[in-house]
Amino acid sequence: MIKITEAFVEDIAKIQEIAHITWPITYGEILTAEQLEYMLNLIYSNEALSKQIQNKEQLFYLISDSESVIGFIGIEHNYKGEAITKIHKIYLMPETQGKGYGKIVFEEIGKMALESNSTELLLNVNRFNTALNFYKKLGFEIKETVDIEIGNGYLMEDYVMGKGL
């Protein structure tokens, strides 16, 4: 049984802990160690997360099973003023993969999106991330290819994927 609950500033340490466990596994063969560290510091610093949570730039949720917190999501409804829910972050602990949790989490995000009058889910995925196949199985399609400069000479080489609701 999965439970998704809103995350607050006091949950930042748990979000950071999960990011620091999942990112090296997810991106370790895609990014250099330097870029990985740079991005974790950029995206998951206390300051960055506090700002996003307090200003409601993204709605953060913790994902729990019966025993512990196993992941988190960061989503934004009404993305760019449109009827779109953007999934900015979705990370589940490695030991949960293959158990159907990801599919359940996406179903719940879809329900939240519909409640916010969204007609589409959108996400970015690194072009070399193995999760790409999982997203395709869920019905996401590649909409565009983007290179996003993030500073320090680094690029995020992503696909933008979308799925109608």
Side-chain angles (χ1 to χ4, degrees), residues 78-100:
N78 200 33
Y79 180 67
K80 292 188 176 179
E82 297 182 37
I84 295 171
T85 293
K86 173 86 182 245
I87 304 166
H88 289 283
K89 299 170 180 67
I90 178 164
Y91 293 98
L92 289 166
M93 295 294 279
E95 61 269 19
T96 68
Q97 294 178 1
K99 295 184 177 181

PDB file of all heavy atoms in Angstrom, residues 78-100:
ATOM      1  N   ASN A  78      -1.029  23.821 -13.604  1.00  0.00           N
ATOM      2  CA  ASN A  78      -1.185  25.064 -14.341  1.00  0.00           C
ATOM      3  C   ASN A  78       0.167  25.549 -14.876  1.00  0.00           C
ATOM      4  O   ASN A  78       0.483  26.731 -14.836  1.00  0.00           O
ATOM      5  CB  ASN A  78      -1.852  26.131 -13.448  1.00  0.00           C
ATOM      6  CG  ASN A  78      -2.469  27.245 -14.261  1.00  0.00           C
ATOM      7  OD1 ASN A  78      -2.960  27.028 -15.361  1.00  0.00           O
ATOM      8  ND2 ASN A  78      -2.428  28.451 -13.718  1.00  0.00           N
ATOM      9  N   TYR A  79       0.960  24.612 -15.369  1.00  0.00           N
ATOM     10  CA  TYR A  79       2.308  24.895 -15.857  1.00  0.00           C
ATOM     11  C   TYR A  79       2.253  25.896 -17.012  1.00  0.00           C
ATOM     12  O   TYR A  79       1.518  25.702 -17.978  1.00  0.00           O
ATOM     13  CB  TYR A  79       2.972  23.589 -16.294  1.00  0.00           C
ATOM     14  CG  TYR A  79       4.364  23.734 -16.830  1.00  0.00           C
ATOM     15  CD1 TYR A  79       5.414  24.135 -16.005  1.00  0.00           C
ATOM     16  CD2 TYR A  79       4.648  23.479 -18.161  1.00  0.00           C
ATOM     17  CE1 TYR A  79       6.696  24.270 -16.493  1.00  0.00           C
ATOM     18  CE2 TYR A  79       5.927  23.600 -18.660  1.00  0.00           C
ATOM     19  CZ  TYR A  79       6.947  24.005 -17.823  1.00  0.00           C
ATOM     20  OH  TYR A  79       8.226  24.139 -18.316  1.00  0.00           O
ATOM     21  N   LYS A  80       2.996  26.981 -16.866  1.00  0.00           N
ATOM     22  CA  LYS A  80       3.051  28.075 -17.854  1.00  0.00           C
ATOM     23  C   LYS A  80       1.652  28.592 -18.204  1.00  0.00           C
ATOM     24  O   LYS A  80       1.387  28.979 -19.336  1.00  0.00           O
ATOM     25  CB  LYS A  80       3.805  27.636 -19.111  1.00  0.00           C
ATOM     26  CG  LYS A  80       5.287  27.399 -18.857  1.00  0.00           C
ATOM     27  CD  LYS A  80       6.041  27.153 -20.147  1.00  0.00           C
ATOM     28  CE  LYS A  80       7.532  27.026 -19.851  1.00  0.00           C
ATOM     29  NZ  LYS A  80       8.320  26.768 -21.070  1.00  0.00           N
ATOM     30  N   GLY A  81       0.758  28.557 -17.206  1.00  0.00           N
ATOM     31  CA  GLY A  81      -0.589  29.088 -17.402  1.00  0.00           C
ATOM     32  C   GLY A  81      -1.490  28.200 -18.245  1.00  0.00           C
ATOM     33  O   GLY A  81      -2.568  28.619 -18.658  1.00  0.00           O
ATOM     34  N   GLU A  82      -1.066  26.970 -18.500  1.00  0.00           N
ATOM     35  CA  GLU A  82      -1.853  26.069 -19.334  1.00  0.00           C
ATOM     36  C   GLU A  82      -2.415  24.923 -18.491  1.00  0.00           C
ATOM     37  O   GLU A  82      -2.010  24.721 -17.357  1.00  0.00           O
ATOM     38  CB  GLU A  82      -0.987  25.520 -20.476  1.00  0.00           C
ATOM     39  CG  GLU A  82      -0.494  26.625 -21.411  1.00  0.00           C
ATOM     40  CD  GLU A  82       0.319  26.080 -22.571  1.00  0.00           C
ATOM     41  OE1 GLU A  82      -0.029  24.991 -23.078  1.00  0.00           O
ATOM     42  OE2 GLU A  82       1.298  26.732 -22.957  1.00  0.00           O
ATOM     43  N   ALA A  83      -3.318  24.154 -19.074  1.00  0.00           N
ATOM     44  CA  ALA A  83      -3.962  23.037 -18.377  1.00  0.00           C
ATOM     45  C   ALA A  83      -3.036  21.824 -18.374  1.00  0.00           C
ATOM     46  O   ALA A  83      -3.378  20.745 -18.861  1.00  0.00           O
ATOM     47  CB  ALA A  83      -5.303  22.709 -19.028  1.00  0.00           C
ATOM     48  N   ILE A  84      -1.839  22.037 -17.837  1.00  0.00           N
ATOM     49  CA  ILE A  84      -0.792  21.017 -17.831  1.00  0.00           C
ATOM     50  C   ILE A  84      -0.277  20.853 -16.408  1.00  0.00           C
ATOM     51  O   ILE A  84      -0.064  21.840 -15.702  1.00  0.00           O
ATOM     52  CB  ILE A  84       0.387  21.430 -18.748  1.00  0.00           C
ATOM     53  CG1 ILE A  84      -0.074  21.492 -20.210  1.00  0.00           C
ATOM     54  CG2 ILE A  84       1.574  20.486 -18.591  1.00  0.00           C
ATOM     55  CD1 ILE A  84       0.952  22.106 -21.152  1.00  0.00           C
ATOM     56  N   THR A  85      -0.063  19.615 -15.990  1.00  0.00           N
ATOM     57  CA  THR A  85       0.658  19.343 -14.747  1.00  0.00           C
ATOM     58  C   THR A  85       2.042  18.854 -15.141  1.00  0.00           C
ATOM     59  O   THR A  85       2.172  17.850 -15.843  1.00  0.00           O
ATOM     60  CB  THR A  85      -0.071  18.296 -13.885  1.00  0.00           C
ATOM     61  OG1 THR A  85      -1.309  18.873 -13.418  1.00  0.00           O
ATOM     62  CG2 THR A  85       0.775  17.892 -12.677  1.00  0.00           C
ATOM     63  N   LYS A  86       3.048  19.614 -14.714  1.00  0.00           N
ATOM     64  CA  LYS A  86       4.448  19.275 -15.007  1.00  0.00           C
ATOM     65  C   LYS A  86       5.013  18.484 -13.833  1.00  0.00           C
ATOM     66  O   LYS A  86       4.917  18.902 -12.679  1.00  0.00           O
ATOM     67  CB  LYS A  86       5.264  20.560 -15.220  1.00  0.00           C
ATOM     68  CG  LYS A  86       6.762  20.348 -15.371  1.00  0.00           C
ATOM     69  CD  LYS A  86       7.161  20.041 -16.796  1.00  0.00           C
ATOM     70  CE  LYS A  86       8.638  19.777 -16.930  1.00  0.00           C
ATOM     71  NZ  LYS A  86       9.348  20.734 -17.708  1.00  0.00           N
ATOM     72  N   ILE A  87       5.559  17.322 -14.142  1.00  0.00           N
ATOM     73  CA  ILE A  87       6.223  16.504 -13.129  1.00  0.00           C
ATOM     74  C   ILE A  87       7.693  16.891 -13.176  1.00  0.00           C
ATOM     75  O   ILE A  87       8.418  16.509 -14.091  1.00  0.00           O
ATOM     76  CB  ILE A  87       6.026  14.998 -13.417  1.00  0.00           C
ATOM     77  CG1 ILE A  87       4.531  14.665 -13.508  1.00  0.00           C
ATOM     78  CG2 ILE A  87       6.732  14.164 -12.351  1.00  0.00           C
ATOM     79  CD1 ILE A  87       4.235  13.305 -14.115  1.00  0.00           C
ATOM     80  N   HIS A  88       8.114  17.694 -12.212  1.00  0.00           N
ATOM     81  CA  HIS A  88       9.501  18.159 -12.179  1.00  0.00           C
ATOM     82  C   HIS A  88      10.432  17.122 -11.575  1.00  0.00           C
ATOM     83  O   HIS A  88      11.589  17.017 -11.971  1.00  0.00           O
ATOM     84  CB  HIS A  88       9.609  19.458 -11.368  1.00  0.00           C
ATOM     85  CG  HIS A  88       9.001  20.646 -12.036  1.00  0.00           C
ATOM     86  ND1 HIS A  88       9.612  21.319 -13.056  1.00  0.00           N
ATOM     87  CD2 HIS A  88       7.817  21.282 -11.827  1.00  0.00           C
ATOM     88  CE1 HIS A  88       8.848  22.337 -13.450  1.00  0.00           C
ATOM     89  NE2 HIS A  88       7.748  22.326 -12.722  1.00  0.00           N
ATOM     90  N   LYS A  89       9.926  16.393 -10.581  1.00  0.00           N
ATOM     91  CA  LYS A  89      10.764  15.430  -9.860  1.00  0.00           C
ATOM     92  C   LYS A  89       9.936  14.203  -9.523  1.00  0.00           C
ATOM     93  O   LYS A  89       8.806  14.330  -9.048  1.00  0.00           O
ATOM     94  CB  LYS A  89      11.279  16.048  -8.557  1.00  0.00           C
ATOM     95  CG  LYS A  89      12.156  17.283  -8.742  1.00  0.00           C
ATOM     96  CD  LYS A  89      12.426  17.965  -7.397  1.00  0.00           C
ATOM     97  CE  LYS A  89      13.288  19.184  -7.532  1.00  0.00           C
ATOM     98  NZ  LYS A  89      12.648  20.283  -8.243  1.00  0.00           N
ATOM     99  N   ILE A  90      10.516  13.042  -9.770  1.00  0.00           N
ATOM    100  CA  ILE A  90       9.899  11.803  -9.313  1.00  0.00           C
ATOM    101  C   ILE A  90      11.029  10.802  -9.098  1.00  0.00           C
ATOM    102  O   ILE A  90      11.712  10.412 -10.045  1.00  0.00           O
ATOM    103  CB  ILE A  90       8.808  11.265 -10.280  1.00  0.00           C
ATOM    104  CG1 ILE A  90       8.239   9.944  -9.749  1.00  0.00           C
ATOM    105  CG2 ILE A  90       9.305  11.158 -11.712  1.00  0.00           C
ATOM    106  CD1 ILE A  90       6.934   9.519 -10.371  1.00  0.00           C
ATOM    107  N   TYR A  91      11.231  10.457  -7.848  1.00  0.00           N
ATOM    108  CA  TYR A  91      12.310   9.538  -7.491  1.00  0.00           C
ATOM    109  C   TYR A  91      11.806   8.546  -6.460  1.00  0.00           C
ATOM    110  O   TYR A  91      11.220   8.933  -5.450  1.00  0.00           O
ATOM    111  CB  TYR A  91      13.531  10.293  -6.951  1.00  0.00           C
ATOM    112  CG  TYR A  91      14.169  11.121  -8.034  1.00  0.00           C
ATOM    113  CD1 TYR A  91      13.891  12.471  -8.158  1.00  0.00           C
ATOM    114  CD2 TYR A  91      15.010  10.526  -8.974  1.00  0.00           C
ATOM    115  CE1 TYR A  91      14.434  13.223  -9.186  1.00  0.00           C
ATOM    116  CE2 TYR A  91      15.564  11.274 -10.007  1.00  0.00           C
ATOM    117  CZ  TYR A  91      15.267  12.619 -10.109  1.00  0.00           C
ATOM    118  OH  TYR A  91      15.807  13.350 -11.138  1.00  0.00           O
ATOM    119  N   LEU A  92      12.047   7.268  -6.754  1.00  0.00           N
ATOM    120  CA  LEU A  92      11.710   6.187  -5.833  1.00  0.00           C
ATOM    121  C   LEU A  92      12.990   5.443  -5.489  1.00  0.00           C
ATOM    122  O   LEU A  92      13.869   5.281  -6.345  1.00  0.00           O
ATOM    123  CB  LEU A  92      10.715   5.218  -6.472  1.00  0.00           C
ATOM    124  CG  LEU A  92       9.297   5.752  -6.660  1.00  0.00           C
ATOM    125  CD1 LEU A  92       8.506   4.856  -7.588  1.00  0.00           C
ATOM    126  CD2 LEU A  92       8.608   5.876  -5.320  1.00  0.00           C
ATOM    127  N   MET A  93      13.077   4.985  -4.259  1.00  0.00           N
ATOM    128  CA  MET A  93      14.256   4.249  -3.809  1.00  0.00           C
ATOM    129  C   MET A  93      14.487   3.035  -4.709  1.00  0.00           C
ATOM    130  O   MET A  93      13.522   2.405  -5.158  1.00  0.00           O
ATOM    131  CB  MET A  93      14.087   3.820  -2.355  1.00  0.00           C
ATOM    132  CG  MET A  93      14.010   5.000  -1.382  1.00  0.00           C
ATOM    133  SD  MET A  93      15.545   5.926  -1.293  1.00  0.00           S
ATOM    134  CE  MET A  93      16.445   4.868  -0.167  1.00  0.00           C
ATOM    135  N   PRO A  94      15.739   2.696  -4.957  1.00  0.00           N
ATOM    136  CA  PRO A  94      16.061   1.601  -5.880  1.00  0.00           C
ATOM    137  C   PRO A  94      15.397   0.269  -5.522  1.00  0.00           C
ATOM    138  O   PRO A  94      14.954  -0.460  -6.420  1.00  0.00           O
ATOM    139  CB  PRO A  94      17.584   1.468  -5.777  1.00  0.00           C
ATOM    140  CG  PRO A  94      18.063   2.709  -5.135  1.00  0.00           C
ATOM    141  CD  PRO A  94      16.917   3.326  -4.400  1.00  0.00           C
ATOM    142  N   GLU A  95      15.278  -0.024  -4.245  1.00  0.00           N
ATOM    143  CA  GLU A  95      14.704  -1.315  -3.844  1.00  0.00           C
ATOM    144  C   GLU A  95      13.207  -1.425  -4.149  1.00  0.00           C
ATOM    145  O   GLU A  95      12.632  -2.509  -4.085  1.00  0.00           O
ATOM    146  CB  GLU A  95      14.972  -1.599  -2.361  1.00  0.00           C
ATOM    147  CG  GLU A  95      14.372  -0.600  -1.410  1.00  0.00           C
ATOM    148  CD  GLU A  95      15.291   0.572  -1.055  1.00  0.00           C
ATOM    149  OE1 GLU A  95      16.256   0.834  -1.792  1.00  0.00           O
ATOM    150  OE2 GLU A  95      15.016   1.236  -0.044  1.00  0.00           O
ATOM    151  N   THR A  96      12.560  -0.319  -4.502  1.00  0.00           N
ATOM    152  CA  THR A  96      11.131  -0.351  -4.809  1.00  0.00           C
ATOM    153  C   THR A  96      10.876  -0.608  -6.285  1.00  0.00           C
ATOM    154  O   THR A  96       9.742  -0.915  -6.668  1.00  0.00           O
ATOM    155  CB  THR A  96      10.446   0.979  -4.424  1.00  0.00           C
ATOM    156  OG1 THR A  96      10.925   2.010  -5.295  1.00  0.00           O
ATOM    157  CG2 THR A  96      10.703   1.339  -2.988  1.00  0.00           C
ATOM    158  N   GLN A  97      11.897  -0.450  -7.109  1.00  0.00           N
ATOM    159  CA  GLN A  97      11.688  -0.564  -8.546  1.00  0.00           C
ATOM    160  C   GLN A  97      11.315  -1.986  -8.935  1.00  0.00           C
ATOM    161  O   GLN A  97      11.794  -2.949  -8.359  1.00  0.00           O
ATOM    162  CB  GLN A  97      12.911  -0.035  -9.279  1.00  0.00           C
ATOM    163  CG  GLN A  97      13.031   1.473  -9.031  1.00  0.00           C
ATOM    164  CD  GLN A  97      14.239   2.108  -9.686  1.00  0.00           C
ATOM    165  OE1 GLN A  97      15.010   1.466 -10.358  1.00  0.00           O
ATOM    166  NE2 GLN A  97      14.391   3.398  -9.458  1.00  0.00           N
ATOM    167  N   GLY A  98      10.397  -2.073  -9.895  1.00  0.00           N
ATOM    168  CA  GLY A  98       9.915  -3.367 -10.348  1.00  0.00           C
ATOM    169  C   GLY A  98       8.761  -3.914  -9.522  1.00  0.00           C
ATOM    170  O   GLY A  98       8.297  -5.018  -9.771  1.00  0.00           O
ATOM    171  N   LYS A  99       8.285  -3.139  -8.556  1.00  0.00           N
ATOM    172  CA  LYS A  99       7.190  -3.598  -7.687  1.00  0.00           C
ATOM    173  C   LYS A  99       5.845  -2.947  -8.029  1.00  0.00           C
ATOM    174  O   LYS A  99       4.880  -3.124  -7.300  1.00  0.00           O
ATOM    175  CB  LYS A  99       7.533  -3.317  -6.216  1.00  0.00           C
ATOM    176  CG  LYS A  99       8.730  -4.108  -5.731  1.00  0.00           C
ATOM    177  CD  LYS A  99       8.975  -3.867  -4.261  1.00  0.00           C
ATOM    178  CE  LYS A  99      10.142  -4.716  -3.766  1.00  0.00           C
ATOM    179  NZ  LYS A  99      10.411  -4.533  -2.346  1.00  0.00           N
ATOM    180  N   GLY A 100       5.821  -2.157  -9.092  1.00  0.00           N
ATOM    181  CA  GLY A 100       4.579  -1.500  -9.502  1.00  0.00           C
ATOM    182  C   GLY A 100       4.321  -0.165  -8.825  1.00  0.00           C
ATOM    183  O   GLY A 100       3.302   0.471  -9.079  1.00  0.00           O
TER     184      GLY A 100
END
